[in-house]
Amino acid sequence: MSTVKAAKGSPPPKKPQTTKTPPPPAAPPKKRNFTERLLDGVERVGNKVPHPVVMFLYLILFIILLSQVLHMFNVSITQEIAVPVASDAATGVEPYYYDSALPGFEPTASAIPEPDFTIETQTVAVRSLLTMEGIRHMFTSFLPNFAGFSVVAVVFVAMLGVGVAEEAGMMGALIRKLVKVAPRRIITFVIVLTGVVSSIATDAGYLILIPLAAVAFIKLGRHPLAGIAAAFAGVSGAFAVNLVIAPLDGMLTEVTNEAIRIFDPTSPGISITANWYFQIASVLVMALVATIITERIIEPRLGVYDPSEASPDAAADDASDNISPAAEAKGLRYVLWTFLGAVALLLVMTLIPGAPLNAGPGESSPFLASIIFIITLLFLATGIAFGYGANTLKGSSKIIAAITKTFGGLGGLILLFLIIAQFIAWFNYTNMPQLAAIGMADWLETVNIGPLPLLIGLILAIMVINIIIPNSVPKWAIFAPIFVPLFMQLGVQSQTVLAAYRVGDSPTNVITPLMVYFPFIALIAQRYVKTAGIGSVIALMLPYTIIMQIVWILLFILWFVLGIPLGPGAPVAM
């Protein structure tokens, strides 16, 4: 075989040329409509806000200076207000309101019974944080404020069980099973409805359902932030209503009855079921509306999820993704047996008279008082069972490591809670939130309009005040003594006023950073989109607030005009 060599000095032979196919032109970016551009603007502006810790430090500085200015001008208001009979002076402890938006001590069984309220005339004056007394208060209350901020304890206790279950792979396995058996079209509605009903378990919806909703949406190939938004809208956006009678209903009813006796001292008041029909309708309508918002507005705006957007420390794939189908099935069988055994034990402890969780005559439910701890134990037990069955989490050292890993991820949130606890406590110390609420209530009282427009005005006032006082019972304690007697004079039943209050009380929960679980929601969002911030969550939830509030007001107007009873034996008008 011979080869022909090129002559010396001649150019090398040319390589054959290949023609490259040009890449297809990039698809033009999707044109954003007005609503999407508006929400994008809200997100950009909101995300330019400093880190939440710094933001709350600025807010603390602002209220310190504002309290001094208002104090110098002797700003005060004299008003009738509903207060618990067991005063702070007598007990030395802040009264506990069964309202998850309000920081306070974690209740025992004896702390939850409906307290008696009485109407007192009080002069509320602005207290300065720059006086000798105010400065002393800031220094002496710093540690008690954080120690009494029960959200910290609730987060740690709830995440203990969830962390073990997630590390074992049980959460992913359960979500995968749910996705397989549940119709895809109703997943969003189920999540929202579960969120609304979860308010009977106070904090469980925030700490457990919202993270699970994100995972469920990922398993369905949908954007996890849409799952977070749907669950958050259900848990917090309709917090004041439920399908069943919840502890919050007892508190609101008792405050209402004390306000009724201002107008009629002999009145027996309303029953705890006075808004039940309206609550059931509200739950179903709000769940449907939130579902439509999620699927028609939120998901199109978010687009297709890119896993690369997740934060570096996010567990993109949980342990269950690497488990064989046989091991996963065995783990889920262990979970089922453990869960059924735990439920049987709970039934014995709850239903048998004299059992530890059984409520005696006239007592509050120890079961409800311990619901967070019970849920934690269920997740812990079933998570360990799954780990042993699927061979993903065996041995006490691995279980403790899973708990430690979960707690380690909460460091930034705990720092934020430390600052938020001071802001809320010092803001309340100045009395400025009360003055703002009372001032707006007084203004509405002087407006000379008919009952229905005045009720709508009450709803709108509650919406605004809820942004700075996202606490159901204390806010109603301010408004009830003013508006319940006023509307009774206009021929409107007190249960109608309470229903109007419920309408205005919840939808703005999801857009106020002063809601104690708002930072937690932002933290969950950052797990899946590392650039998410306060502005991202506000922009995500703003459509829910606006649309749910409008639809809820229209439902209330329709209910009022048609004269449908609000509950058993509870007409709209006298």
Side-chain angles (χ1 to χ4, degrees), residues 554-568:
L554 292 176
L555 175 65
F556 177 81
I557 293 173
L558 182 65
W559 206 284
F560 184 88
V561 172
L562 296 179
I564 303 173
L566 294 160

Side-chain angles (χ1 to χ4, degrees), residues 35-226:
T35 301
E36 291 174 333
R37 293 197 303 271
L38 176 63
L39 294 175
D40 290 344
V42 171
E43 181 174 0
R44 283 193 299 270
V45 173
N47 285 344
K48 290 181 180 179
V49 173
H51 189 282
V53 171
V54 178
M55 181 187 73
F56 275 98
L57 288 173
Y58 286 154
L59 287 174
I60 288 173
L61 179 61
F62 174 74
I63 64 169
I64 289 174
L65 297 176
L66 182 60
S67 69
Q68 176 62 24
V69 172
L70 297 179
H71 176 72
M72 290 170 59
F73 285 94
N74 297 318
V75 176
S76 65
I77 291 179
T78 300
Q79 187 59 268
E80 290 183 324
I81 187 171
V83 296
V85 172
S87 65
D88 301 349
T91 64
V93 178
E94 290 291 329
Y96 175 76
Y97 299 106
Y98 203 97
D99 178 358
S100 70
L102 180 69
F105 62 86
E106 185 66 14
T108 60
S110 61
I112 291 184
E114 301 171 15
D116 290 329
F117 285 79
T118 184
I119 302 299
E120 293 183 2
T121 300
Q122 294 184 351
T123 297
V124 181
V126 173
R127 292 195 289 182
S128 172
L129 287 165
L130 288 179
T131 61
M132 187 70 68
E133 180 184 356
I135 294 172
R136 182 183 296 121
H137 173 77
M138 286 192 289
F139 274 82
T140 59
S141 67
F142 191 92
L143 185 58
N145 290 342
F146 188 54
F149 200 63
S150 66
V151 175
V152 177
V154 171
V155 167
F156 270 106
V157 171
M159 295 306 292
L160 184 152
V162 173
V164 170
E166 187 171 6
E167 188 70 15
M170 186 191 84
M171 307 299 280
L174 287 176
I175 293 295
R176 187 157 39 244
K177 180 68 69 173
L178 172 66
V179 169
K180 286 181 180 178
V181 301
R184 295 173 67 93
R185 293 179 60 86
I186 67 168
I187 285 290
T188 307
F189 180 80
V190 169
I191 288 174
V192 176
L193 184 62
T194 304
V196 178
V197 176
S198 73
S199 65
I200 194 171
T202 60
D203 309 276
Y206 292 101
L207 300 173
I208 297 171
L209 179 65
I210 292 175
L212 286 182
V215 177
F217 268 54
I218 283 184
K219 300 296 183 183
L220 288 167
R222 299 166 67 178
H223 204 293
L225 294 194

Side-chain angles (χ1 to χ4, degrees), residues 225 228 520-530 532-533 537 540:
L225 294 194
I228 291 172
F520 179 77
I521 306 304
L523 183 68
I524 298 298
Q526 288 172 354
R527 180 180 183 183
Y528 300 100
V529 179
K530 56 180 175 288
V537 179
L540 193 67

